[in-house]
Amino acid sequence: MTTTTNARSARFDLASIIAKFPQTADTLLIDEYLTDTAAASSRVFRVYRGTPPHFHRGCDEYLYVLSGRGTFWMEDPSTEAEFKPGDLLFFEKGTVHALPKIIEEPVVFLSVDTPRREPNDIVFVNSEDGTPETFIAQRERSGG
């Protein structure tokens, strides 16, 4: 199945999109926006290295684990627990979260952000951990 979209609906071949992610990256993760409206955005992204504590100012985030395993915490490092395919992680805007360990690669998430997440809406708890540019790179849309 190919990716098809119109103004009101869409179908996405996630396996095809995921297969195009590179094996390595200079940034912590690479994502591709699937939908991008004021009300919500959806993305597929691959995580290449553990991510330091950070939060988003403008949106709640739903992360559905498509592949891989690792650990993730929300609100406090004491909540760190393993995730696996089929898990759904949710946190409201302003919630500090991190993915300290990758156990099995590739780690790929389907993300739904409400309202839309601006690509540079990443605030590190420790500013020395990076910038939006070192955190994430966007891929061009696969089709449409």
Side-chain angles (χ1 to χ4, degrees):
M1 175 190 303
T2 59
T3 300
T4 58
T5 62
N6 68 37
R8 295 176 44 103
S9 62
R11 290 179 193 254
F12 300 97
D13 181 347
L14 296 182
S16 177
I17 293 169
I18 292 165
K20 294 177 184 173
F21 284 125
Q23 293 300 308
T24 61
D26 293 332
T27 54
L28 295 174
L29 59 97
I30 293 178
D31 75 355
E32 181 173 325
Y33 275 75
L34 305 172
T35 62
D36 193 9
T37 68
S41 55
S42 62
R43 304 171 290 127
V44 174
F45 66 87
R46 180 173 174 178
V47 181
Y48 292 89
R49 290 182 290 290
T51 62
H54 64 282
F55 63 94
H56 310 289
R57 286 190 173 109
C59 67
D60 297 343
E61 191 166 15
Y62 299 79
L63 299 177
Y64 182 74
V65 183
L66 295 171
S67 69
R69 291 178 31 244
T71 63
F72 199 90
W73 62 263
M74 296 170 275
E75 300 185 50
D76 184 280
S78 69
T79 68
E80 184 174 346
E82 188 173 325
F83 64 82
K84 64 187 179 323
D87 288 351
L88 177 66
L89 309 171
F90 165 76
F91 42 92
E92 292 182 348
K93 66 183 173 184
T95 302
V96 175
H97 55 282
L99 189 160
K101 297 178 197 149
I102 293 176
I103 298 168
E104 181 182 305
E105 295 187 83
V107 172
V108 179
F109 291 97
L110 169 66
S111 177
V112 175
D113 308 300
T114 58
R116 171 189 196 275
R117 187 175 77 74
E118 295 286 339
N120 63 354
D121 180 11
I122 300 157
V123 181
F124 289 98
V125 171
N126 179 352
S127 62
E128 295 175 4
D129 283 337
T131 65
E133 295 76 22
T134 61
F135 183 78
I136 193 167
Q138 273 82 45
R139 278 183 18 92
E140 293 297 319
R141 276 184 107 167
S142 293

